């Protein structure tokens, strides 16, 4: 890249959401419209996920002004899974800065699945971007903390600040995933073999597995996303979590890579930076305006919540959120 | 994707640009700031490109309201090259519609260079997206027209409508590239071997080579981009060129793939859908607001104009255009 | 490679075949044993191949001493197809020498299918080996001749010398394949784009398409193979076709790459350098001893004749031909 | 593959080596000819290897009749490294049989480097062949033994039987490599994630690291290779180590994959199944006749001993060993 923007402040220019009642109505409509959809299959790669009630369904919009609108099961908790990648990335950007994280973790789409090792080998061990597992592990490895325990507490504390409440570990999910995360251990070792992770790779995988097992609700996801939409200030608590620059960086990376090799489709259809998790959560962020958090466990073959995608697409359209 | 948005209108929500004087000042500042940068190398893969004056430098902003601001060599013409991909894609989307073009051409980033054949083979001949050469050829092959001659006239007519004036072929560039476009012929044949191009692949390459040799100025690029920003209506001529849906589709694809395997970096640094050409042009679009067109022949190693990128990044920041 | 063998003559050390009667008996047994096998499917990628009688079946062994043993349809002609690659390679090695052809065409297995373009791109256009289509085209492009017509006559003349009789073009196969060889045209253009073919790539494809359409019988294949087994002297006509060094080079390349990405399996199961064609021919060479030529049109999913493979494996075992 | 050879005995057909004096002279000549070559660099990826005397140089030929000819440092010990892969593979073939090992480990060349993970991912976790590290680990995982300790003792016992004397672990090499084998740990975890290794992958890596650290001499390598040449009977001790079928299988795999992505070159230049190790050893096998063992630490850029390759090529030629 050939930019030269040091010292030039990024100005902000935004539109605004429709009024309170209109948003309230549309969130209700998004929930009602897809309530009876029963497509998709609940994730079963770990037994504990497969036991969830597939009928659970919550839709929530948090405005950057602090208003929160919900319909359905917006307070039911589930594990955040890959959605955590976006917020841990923001925390690491806050610590290390734009350029350093760009060089260490990257921002470009690999064109390959989330757990691929091909791109790692083709790029001399570079993890390529923070949303694929290689990059997410490399990002978690950069979390501040004098020990792995501290790193984990900082992950939890950081994501809790995004959510505006103390998030808890789902111990059953954590233990279950710890027993089946061989692929992540392989990826972490591979990064280590290229000198891209300098600490104990198994400890990094452990922190990462914990971060994926944090419990959130659709409400939490909406508030976490709205914090990114609001330039880094949690619109409910008023706490600054990260800088405005970090928010833009994080949203740009989500737009480019948040849905892995199908990120282009997501922009083409919905037009918002977003991230989904295999437990059924999705967060989509409308910069300056707010965020949509949804929860519904049944997934499409690509691993994204069926009702969640539909509700997000509906709200992106009706609320005028598509950034293009 | 699991969206369900048929019949739901996309609402539009925009902010606005600063006032006339401020934009005028910032365009002048963007030009002045980088005028003396002499990094980069003029493209020489065809002799005619290498003879251009490397000192040429123009910066232009066209507002979606129709105002145009320029500084420097904004009326000097050069060949549009790969920037044509974006506008031919819009014309084909207008003809075939969102879903059909999605299936035939794709929208996802390959993680590979613009002229790679690896992704084509790995995806059973699918061209993957309209910005890599495979997808650009597949897109041009879809242009309406009863003959290749008609297709070419429709390409020229369509891009002229985007520019608001009749664009002309640079015959010297066309002939020079026709003698050196073996790679595109290989790619077109490969697509044919997979049944992805059903017409004569060499004729498709010929139309594509012509489209790349159309002459535009920085002023033209800004107006062309502003037509995409303005929901498909040329803000200078008032002519509707494509629909609002087509504009969103095109901008989403540019965001995801416009800079090939480095598209993520562009969003991370500049935050706008954009496209560049090896003759030194760049267009970047701020949805709802307008577009930046720049021209400066010296390129960085990735093939993007050095001063053009810098000016675009400057204006993205100072005009508050970053979509994130 | 770190060898240093200039001026050191390669000594030859061979065992010998069993006596005339024993070979005669085993060839008959190989034919009889698999006569009633009706597995496999006749190639149909061009219509003319699909019309062949699937019951045709010939087995032939030619000894390096000149004796020829046959059973079944050993004189029925069919198109040589990919088997031609081995003998054209030998002719080109004879002309350019060991080192030059090694550098230009290569000898290493790609691990990829015969018509892949991935290896070409990953290796900066190097065709990798003469058995995959990229390397076969690069090899044919090196055939001596002042014109493409002369090159083609030299291919035909050379293969005829290997066979010991004048081979003829199957005009129907040639025309049919000429209409469907888009993939080879793509590969040839790709090689041209990397500067690996300097002549007209379409003419190279034409010569290659002709070479694949030469008509041979199982008898011819056995004699052609026996010429390689006999250090380059046709054991029937007594004519020297290529040098002993060229024979070793050709057989080494067949062992490493003759069956494309499944070459290792062939050595593991049969232990002989070999080449097959989609019209149903197979030739396998026992260095110093002779060669097996078989013909039976029905192919397994990998494109190799079912009865041909079985008969070859049987004879490799019973005649003690496995080189390991 | 479409073979049908059950119950058909593989006949053996061999030539013979020149007489005792001639072999003795040629071994001496091979040693003398390259004694003063000082090209190549000693491996330094673990510190202990870098401390070896680069001047050490031994050449040894063991005949299948039991005669052993040596020149230079034929009794100096060094770690066997990757050469162990060939013999552990033979032991596993002896236990599981031709078909089972074919299916589990594979025999085809990947076209990729020894430690690549790309082929593993592209082939759904299949290790592809026993010479690349993925396949070597999968092979070691199959070694008989009720515990990892027993597996290791069986590896050591088996390789000792090939050598005809008790081989010892180089503890310093083992500890040094144990501290740096992250890549192998990554590969083993990756295989586990695909269900291709069912036991503890770290224990498999440990046994594999031990097997690579076994101490052998050039003399040992020649006898080990001659055991494969002699149909599985150690020609010095008279002990049957593996069956004749296992020897053919092992030699076929060495021919196809022993030198990784450059195996074709080795056949093209030397014409013998062979394996090299980064400590400077090479073994090359002439089926039915005997084997060449060499030792010289300085390596070429591909990781093969410079003097070892040259001596092997010389002896292959002068002793008439090239199988083609």
């Amino acid at each position: 890249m050939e930019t030269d923007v040091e010292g030039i402040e990024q100005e902000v220019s935004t539109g605004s959401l429709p009024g309170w009642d209109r948003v309230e109505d549309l969130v209700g409509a998004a929930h009602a419209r897809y309530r009876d959809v029963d497509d998709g299959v609940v994730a079963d790669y770990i037994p504990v996920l497969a036991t969830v009630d597939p009928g659970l369904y919550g839709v929530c919009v948090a405005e950057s002004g602090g208003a929160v609108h919900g319909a359905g099961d917006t307070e039911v908790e589930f594990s955040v899974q890959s959605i955590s990648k976006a917020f841990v990335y923001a925390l690491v950007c806050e610590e290390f800065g734009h350029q350093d994280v760009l060089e260490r973790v990257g921002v470009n789409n690999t064109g390959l699945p989330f757990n691929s090792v091909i791109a790692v080998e083709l790029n001399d061990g570079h993890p390529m971007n923070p949303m694929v597992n290689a990059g997410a592990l490399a990002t978690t490895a950069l979390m501040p903390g004098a020990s792995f325990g501290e790193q984990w507490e900082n992950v939890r504390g950081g994501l809790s600040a995004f959510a505006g409440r103390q998030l808890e570990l789902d111990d059953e999910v954590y233990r279950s995933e710890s027993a089946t995360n061989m692929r992540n251990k392989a990826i972490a070792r591979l990064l280590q073999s290229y000198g891209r992770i300098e600490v104990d790779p198994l400890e990094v995988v452990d922190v990462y597995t914990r971060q994926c097992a944090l419990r959130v609700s659709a409400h939490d996801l909406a508030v976490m996303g709205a914090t990114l939409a609001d330039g880094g200030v949690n619109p409910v608590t008023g706490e600054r979590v990260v800088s405005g620059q970090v928010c833009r960086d994080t949203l740009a990376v989500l737009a480019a890579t948040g849905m892995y090799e199908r990120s282009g489709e997501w922009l083409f259809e919905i037009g918002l930076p977003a991230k989904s998790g295999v437990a059924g959560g999705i967060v989509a962020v409308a910069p300056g305006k707010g965020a949509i958090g949804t929860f519904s466990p049944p997934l499409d073959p690509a691993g994204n919540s069926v009702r969640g995608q539909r509700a997000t697409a509906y709200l992106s359209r009706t609320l005028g959120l598509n950034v293009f």
Side-chain angles (χ1 to χ4, degrees), chain A residues 141-197:
Chain A
L142 294 174
M143 273 300 293
S147 65
F148 296 106
E150 268 191 39
Q151 283 190 305
W152 157 238
E153 285 306 328
N154 287 335
V155 166
R156 181 160 72 157
L159 267 61
S160 296
F162 272 109
R165 69 175 187 95
Q166 181 73 358
L167 302 179
E168 300 296 337
L169 182 72
D170 187 320
D171 208 55
E172 193 177 359
V173 168
Y174 163 63
R175 286 200 313 270
S176 190
E177 297 205 359
S178 292
T180 56
N181 59 1
M182 293 87 86
R183 182 74 170 223
N184 285 339
K185 287 175 182 161
I187 293 170
R189 281 283 183 207
L190 191 62
L191 292 173
Q192 184 196 31
S193 78
Y194 283 107
R196 303 284 182 168
I197 286 185

Side-chain angles (χ1 to χ4, degrees), chain A residues 19-157:
Chain A
W20 168 279
D21 287 352
R22 177 77 179 135
V23 179
E24 194 77 9
D25 285 352
L26 288 171
V27 168
H31 183 266
R33 185 178 174 97
Y34 306 111
R35 189 169 40 204
D36 299 330
V37 169
D38 62 356
D39 295 348
V41 179
V42 172
D44 62 355
Y45 77 98
I46 58 172
V48 63
L49 290 183
T51 63
V52 74
D53 175 2
L56 291 170
Y57 177 38
V59 178
C60 197
V61 167
E63 299 192 31
S64 56
V68 179
H69 313 265
D73 305 312
T74 58
E75 304 302 330
V76 174
E77 294 188 11
F78 52 94
S79 53
V80 67
Q81 300 293 345
S82 288
I83 303 171
S84 65
K85 294 169 177 175
F87 299 97
V88 172
Y89 180 69
L91 296 171
V92 166
C93 283
E94 182 73 11
E95 180 76 15
F96 285 86
H98 181 87
Q99 195 59 33
D100 199 6
V101 179
L102 172 61
E103 283 161 17
R104 292 200 196 196
V105 182
V107 295
N108 287 313
N109 202 302
T110 61
L112 291 164
F114 72 101
N115 64 359
S116 177
V117 293
I118 292 177
V120 176
E121 181 166 320
L122 290 179
N123 293 284
D124 191 30
H126 196 284
M128 298 307 291
N129 72 63
M131 298 302 142
V132 293
N133 285 17
L137 290 163
T139 302
T140 293
L142 294 174
M143 273 300 293
S147 65
F148 296 106
E150 268 191 39
Q151 283 190 305
W152 157 238
E153 285 306 328
N154 287 335
V155 166
R156 181 160 72 157

